[in-house]
Amino acid sequence: MKDVKEGFIPVAGGKVWYRITGTGPGIPLLLLHGGPGMKSSDSDPLQQLGAERPIIQYDQLGCGKSERPEDRSLWTVDRYVEELGQVIQALGLEEVHLLGHSWGTMLAASYLFTKPGGVRSVVFSGPALDAQRWERDQRAYLKQFPSQVRQTIEEHESQGTTDSEDYQEAMMAYYKTHMCRVDPWPNELSEDLEQLNPEVYNHMWGASEFTVTGTLKQFDATGRLTEIGIPALFTCGRYDEATPEATEHYASLVPDAEFHVFENSSHMPSIEEPEAYVETVREWVNRQEMKRGA
C-alpha cells in the first residue's frame, strides 16, 4: 500500500520507531504489539484498512527498529504506559482506537486505567490480563502433550538450560499448537521471534510462556476491568494461549464488552485467519464510529 510514513519519536529512555499506513478518513487505529520484547509485524493484514483509516504501528523501546538501551529500569509497565502516551501526543492523535495483542493487552489496559481522553474503543486480542492465570492455562495445555515433550520442558526449565536445542524443539511443538497453527510458519514470524529482545522478555516475563518469573509475575488487571468505560472487544483463537474461557471471563468484567472467537486460530489469527481477523476489526471500529457519528 502507498501512503506509508515512517519515523522516530523521542520517548522516556530513547527513541521509538513508528509507521503509519494509509491516510483514510476514519479515526486512526493504533496497534500495540505483543512480547514483551517483540516487534511490529511488517506484513500485518490490518494495514489493508489504511484506505479507511490510518493504521499506526510502533516498536516499543528495546524492540524491533526502536533503540535498545541496556538500562533494565526502563522495562516497566508504567514506563511503557508513559511511552504510549508520548507516542499518541507526538503523532497528534486527538482520537484513536487501540488494539493490543497479548502483552499489548496488558499495556492497553494499564493505559486505559490512567483515564486518557480520546480513546474511542479498544480491542483486546489474545488477552493476557492475569499473569498467574496465563501460567496456569499454559500448564494445563502442556498436560495434553506427550510425556517426552513435557519432561523435556520441565527438566530444562528446572536446570536453567532453556537455550538448549532439545528445549527449543519441545517448545516448537507447543507453539505450533497454541501460538500459530499455520504449517509451515511464514518466514516473517520465524524472523520476528529470532529478533525478540530476550533481555526485555526475560526481565518482564521469564524463561518461557509456562513460567512467569519477571516483573509481570503478579500482573492482574481483572480487578479493575470494570473501570474501562469505552467500547471493548475481546478476541482469541479457539486454540489460543489466551484460552476462550479466560478471554470470555475478561470480557464479562467490562461493561457491555463483546467477545469473539476465531474458530481456526490459536494465538495469531492475523496470520492464521487474516481475512476474518481484518473483517472483525473493520466491522468493530466502523460500528463504534457510526454509534457516535464520527
Side-chain angles (χ1 to χ4, degrees):
M1 174 179 286
K2 297 179 181 178
D3 296 321
V4 176
K5 178 183 178 182
E6 299 184 16
F8 287 86
I9 295 170
V11 299
K15 294 179 181 178
V16 297
W17 169 89
Y18 74 93
R19 171 173 51 213
I20 303 175
T21 303
T23 57
I27 293 170
L29 173 63
L30 177 58
L31 310 183
L32 310 179
H33 65 70
M38 283 287 288
K39 63 184 284 293
S40 302
S41 168
D42 290 330
S43 59
D44 194 309
L46 292 175
Q47 293 172 0
Q48 298 169 28
L49 300 180
E52 302 169 21
R53 67 187 65 253
I55 304 300
I56 304 170
Q57 298 168 279
Y58 75 98
D59 289 342
Q60 296 152 23
L61 194 67
C63 307
K65 301 181 183 75
S66 294
E67 290 184 349
R68 296 194 174 200
E70 296 181 0
D71 182 359
R72 286 193 168 197
S73 69
L74 297 169
W75 314 137
T76 68
V77 174
D78 287 347
R79 198 211 58 81
Y80 278 118
V81 166
E82 180 184 9
E83 172 183 289
L84 173 53
Q86 290 169 331
V87 168
I88 289 174
Q89 183 175 11
L91 295 178
L93 304 177
E94 295 182 3
E95 287 195 294
V96 68
H97 298 282
L98 290 181
L99 184 151
H101 178 251
S102 200
W103 138 254
T105 65
M106 292 178 163
L107 177 55
S110 299
Y111 178 70
L112 291 174
F113 293 153
T114 69
K115 301 298 181 186
V119 183
R120 287 290 292 269
S121 78
V122 60
V123 179
F124 293 98
S125 172
L129 295 172
D130 179 346
Q132 293 297 308
R133 176 162 189 163
W134 181 281
E135 182 180 278
R136 290 195 303 272
D137 286 344
Q138 307 328 300
R139 292 197 171 275
Y141 273 150
L142 192 57
K143 291 178 181 176
Q144 301 169 13
F145 282 78
S147 58
Q148 183 62 45
V149 173
R150 298 199 309 271
Q151 289 171 8
T152 299
I153 289 174
E154 289 165 3
E155 286 174 9
H156 285 289
E157 287 198 352
S158 65
Q159 295 168 10
T161 52
T162 54
D163 55 353
S164 73
E165 194 170 322
D166 286 346
Y167 179 82
Q168 297 303 323
E169 286 182 7
M171 284 299 295
M172 190 54 67
Y174 182 83
Y175 287 148
K176 288 190 172 183
T177 304
H178 296 298
M179 178 181 282
C180 180
R181 296 166 73 89
V182 173
D183 189 23
W185 276 8
N187 289 335
E188 190 197 341
L189 177 57
S190 300
E191 291 167 2
D192 285 355
L193 286 173
E194 289 171 6
Q195 293 178 41
L196 178 142
N197 186 339
E199 288 290 324
V200 178
Y201 181 80
N202 293 336
H203 181 71
M204 295 188 71
W205 188 259
S208 78
E209 301 294 281
F210 310 109
T211 310
V212 191
T213 55
T215 56
L216 293 173
K217 182 178 177 66
Q218 302 302 328
F219 186 94
D220 182 1
T222 54
R224 300 188 64 185
L225 290 179
T226 55
E227 298 176 28
I228 294 178
I230 61 172
L233 171 65
F234 289 78
T235 73
C236 67
R238 177 58 64 189
Y239 311 99
D240 206 322
E241 293 177 287
T243 67
E245 293 77 15
T247 304
E248 187 170 22
H249 172 63
Y250 300 145
S252 74
L253 301 175
V254 178
D256 301 319
E258 296 185 20
F259 168 60
H260 180 83
V261 176
F262 295 98
E263 293 294 342
N264 298 304
S265 293
S266 54
H267 197 48
M268 299 284 186
S270 62
I271 295 173
E272 296 163 290
E273 295 182 74
E275 292 179 3
Y277 187 69
V278 170
E279 191 51 44
T280 297
V281 174
R282 168 190 277 128
E283 191 278 332
W284 168 258
V285 292
N286 285 346
R287 181 152 47 95
Q288 304 320 309
E289 291 176 17
M290 287 177 65
K291 279 182 184 176
R292 288 175 48 186

